Amino acid sequence: MTQHQQQQWTALLSTQRFKVVQGEIKPTRTPATDEGSAGLRSDFHIDHDRVVFSSAFRRLGRKTQVHPLAQNDHTHNRLTHSVEVASVGRSLGNRVGVMMQHAGVMPAGYSPFDIGAVVQVACLAHDIGNPPFGHTGEDALRDWFRDARNAHFLHTLDAAQLRDVQTYEGNAHGLRMLATLEMYNHEGGMRLTAAALGALIKYPWTSDAPKALVRDKFNIYRTELAYFERIATELQLPRKGELEWSRHPLSYLMEAADDICYAILDLEDAVEIGILDVHEFEGLFARFTEYEKVWNLHDVKQKCATLRGIAIGRCVAEVAQKFMLHHNALLAGEFPAKDLINLTDAEVQEALIQAKELASNKVYRHRTKLVTELASYPCIAAILDVLIPAVHALVTRGAEQLTPRQHLAMGLLEQHIKPEDSLYQAYMKVLDFVGGMTDNYAANLAREISGVGIL
């Protein structure tokens, strides 16, 4: 059994990369020595650097984590959140890696730190496909395409294409960003290792798979389906249906790192900007320590930071233990629970549940947040109202039939529409453009094209 599991992990930790050449997906190896580091960087370190140096990752610095267009410079944005999740994910991966080594399932040629590095890369990239204004931005994009007033732009799309266009999903756009758009544009994207891409994918099914129809969560647009199929084959992920696969075991660690960070750090932000009292924060995480020195701290930031560190450490230990407890089921694609957090001990679960409830009741529904989120709907709509009619006219009638206004609108698009593009491909490029915007860029563009304040 141990030898078979080592073989499974050898496949799951594949360092193979893939490129797209004239529509065909081909393997391409990029050893560390090929990138000028004389072997000082592992394949997973190369993955890390490709994500960090990408423009998509850099734009996360101006994208919402919880508070859109926040005025307080100390609150988290998507970039700082991703870096912190990656730190927690690396700790989780390293800890699991050591336990795998002790259990005799670590494959030859790999170390515990490789497990940590793979999870770290997945964590760094886990929000890279998020649109402006966070989850509200996703809803605003979906709302426009599902509005009956805009149905005439969509009637020639097939059912699967319609689902993709009407269901902007940050997770699916994250895979699209990594596998198609960034670095080698439409030629394999960043060409990350199969292991890193597998660990990133939380919902390994398409927008029209049965699971996606239940709650609009998925990771694979039709544009990336063939690419992901090749990744899944390389990793030997069990296929669970025509359009669905089992998750990579390490994706559960990426997910847990994200859950831990947003449950704890969103509340720390709320204390920072005065939405929560520090005693509410203390009340949640006091159970994790009896260290008297913590309670004698008078500096609010220092007290929150100390409690946060203790709480994260406890969560990491718990999640790693539960991962190894269910190791065999994870490898077989038969993990029995929704996620690893749900299997942690009662004290950890209770603290995280209460933290999320407090955030939901007092932070996410705070008036300042609600007002800005409401404003994101007309903001996104103003941009799509200009772009989609122009793109539709270009694809269906040709450039010579565009009105002067539509010619101007086409000039805004950074991803140029090609004459051979279908309406579906053209709309995906619009979603790439709008979804890639920062909060500030989207707000400013909507204001500018509306004509408000032009004089």
Side-chain angles (χ1 to χ4, degrees):
M1 173 62 86
T2 299
Q3 185 176 6
H4 175 62
Q5 290 178 338
Q6 287 177 346
Q7 292 170 347
Q8 287 178 286
W9 275 111
T10 298
L12 290 167
L13 294 173
S14 171
T15 57
Q16 183 62 66
R17 305 174 190 275
F18 294 93
K19 59 184 176 181
V20 179
V21 181
Q22 297 179 337
E24 185 178 350
I25 300 164
K26 298 182 177 181
T28 174
R29 297 203 66 84
T30 311
T33 51
D34 288 354
E35 296 208 357
S37 298
L40 296 177
R41 292 188 301 164
S42 73
D43 283 288
F44 305 134
H45 292 148
I46 292 172
D47 286 344
H48 173 280
D49 294 349
R50 288 185 178 185
V51 173
V52 166
F53 283 95
S54 68
S55 59
F57 185 72
R58 192 159 56 248
R59 288 196 298 271
L60 293 178
R62 288 289 187 172
K63 290 197 178 189
T64 292
Q65 168 60 18
V66 174
H67 308 281
L69 302 172
Q71 299 301 308
N72 190 307
D73 290 338
H74 294 281
T75 58
H76 288 81
N77 53 49
R78 287 286 171 184
L79 190 146
T80 53
H81 167 73
S82 297
V83 170
E84 290 173 348
V85 172
S87 179
V88 174
R90 183 187 60 215
S91 296
L92 269 171
N94 288 345
R95 196 178 188 98
V96 165
V98 169
M99 296 165 83
M100 285 173 58
Q101 196 168 57
H102 288 164
V105 296
M106 181 70 71
Y110 292 93
S111 78
F113 302 110
D114 289 317
I115 305 297
V118 172
V119 179
Q120 181 182 29
V121 172
C123 290
L124 276 175
H126 83 284
D127 272 348
I128 207 166
N130 276 30
F133 312 119
H135 294 303
T136 304
E138 286 182 316
D139 291 336
L141 287 163
R142 295 174 181 183
D143 187 67
W144 193 95
F145 281 101
R146 293 177 182 181
D147 192 321
R149 290 171 295 183
N150 301 317
H152 61 287
F153 293 120
L154 309 172
H155 70 273
T156 60
L157 303 181
D158 66 34
Q161 293 171 344
L162 186 64
R163 276 287 296 175
D164 279 0
V165 169
Q166 289 187 323
T167 318
Y168 187 102
E169 223 300 326
N171 292 291
H173 240 83
L175 176 61
R176 180 165 168 78
M177 197 70 71
L178 299 176
T180 300
L181 301 178
E182 280 282 335
M183 200 167 171
Y184 297 100
N185 186 270
H186 289 274
E187 295 179 357
M190 290 190 199
R191 300 180 184 175
L192 301 184
T193 61
L197 287 173
L200 171 74
I201 305 304
K202 195 168 157 183
Y203 310 108
W205 50 80
T206 61
S207 67
D208 56 335
K211 285 186 177 179
L213 297 175
V214 174
R215 62 187 191 107
D216 285 346
K217 287 291 186 182
F218 62 95
N219 249 111
I220 309 166
Y221 290 126
R222 287 298 167 129
T223 48
E224 281 69 52
L225 179 57
Y227 195 93
F228 183 77
E229 283 186 300
R230 187 66 187 85
I231 294 291
T233 299
E234 176 69 19
L235 298 171
Q236 298 178 18
L237 298 179
R239 195 158 195 156
K240 304 187 77 173
E242 183 184 357
L243 302 171
E244 180 184 348
W245 290 261
S246 294
R247 290 174 62 175
H248 191 296
L250 297 184
S251 72
Y252 288 93
L253 296 182
M254 178 273 294
E255 178 183 41
D258 186 28
D259 283 349
I260 291 166
C261 285
Y262 83 71
I264 298 173
L265 295 169
D266 285 358
L267 295 183
E268 192 174 1
D269 274 356
V271 174
E272 174 72 32
I273 63 179
I275 294 176
L276 284 184
D277 186 271
V278 66
H279 297 299
E280 294 176 282
F281 189 87
E282 289 177 7
L284 286 172
F285 304 115
R287 70 195 80 192
F288 293 138
T289 181
E290 296 178 358
Y291 188 35
E292 187 176 332
K293 190 174 180 180
V294 173
W295 311 118
N296 293 331
L297 292 172
H298 298 294
D299 185 278
V300 169
K301 292 181 183 178
Q302 190 179 1
K303 182 177 284 188
C304 285
T306 303
L307 284 171
R308 174 240 301 154
I310 292 169
I312 289 177
R314 174 65 183 278
C315 292
V316 165
E318 266 292 308
V319 169
Q321 182 187 48
K322 294 305 184 288
F323 181 95
M324 290 308 297
L325 187 64
H326 294 274
H327 173 266
N328 294 351
L330 287 162
L331 270 188
E334 298 172 354
F335 184 58
K338 175 179 173 286
D339 55 49
L340 288 168
I341 296 292
N342 281 337
L343 297 176
T344 55
D345 72 21
E347 190 173 58
V348 169
Q349 276 196 63
E350 186 180 355
L352 294 181
I353 289 171
Q354 289 178 358
K356 292 176 182 179
E357 288 176 350
L358 182 60
S360 178
N361 294 332
K362 283 201 170 184
V363 181
Y364 303 150
R365 305 264 56 90
H366 193 269
R367 185 183 183 281
T368 56
K369 178 173 166 57
L370 294 177
V371 168
T372 310
E373 287 183 341
L374 282 169
S376 69
Y377 283 86
C379 174
I380 294 292
I383 297 169
L384 293 177
D385 283 343
V386 169
L387 294 178
I388 294 298
V391 168
H392 183 270
L394 177 68
V395 173
T396 58
R397 300 201 301 270
E400 64 280 357
Q401 298 297 317
L402 294 181
T403 66
R405 186 183 189 221
Q406 289 170 341
H407 270 294
L408 292 172
M410 291 306 302
L412 288 175
L413 280 174
E414 294 173 356
Q415 290 241 24
H416 297 295
I417 309 299
K418 298 177 182 177
E420 65 271 20
D421 281 342
S422 67
L423 197 58
Y424 168 65
Q425 291 169 325
Y427 286 167
M428 290 303 292
K429 288 183 177 181
V430 173
L431 289 174
D432 295 338
F433 175 58
V434 179
M437 292 178 181
T438 64
D439 295 6
N440 289 327
Y441 185 88
N444 290 336
L445 179 61
R447 187 181 306 111
E448 288 166 351
I449 64 177
S450 72
V452 174
I454 196 170
L455 298 177

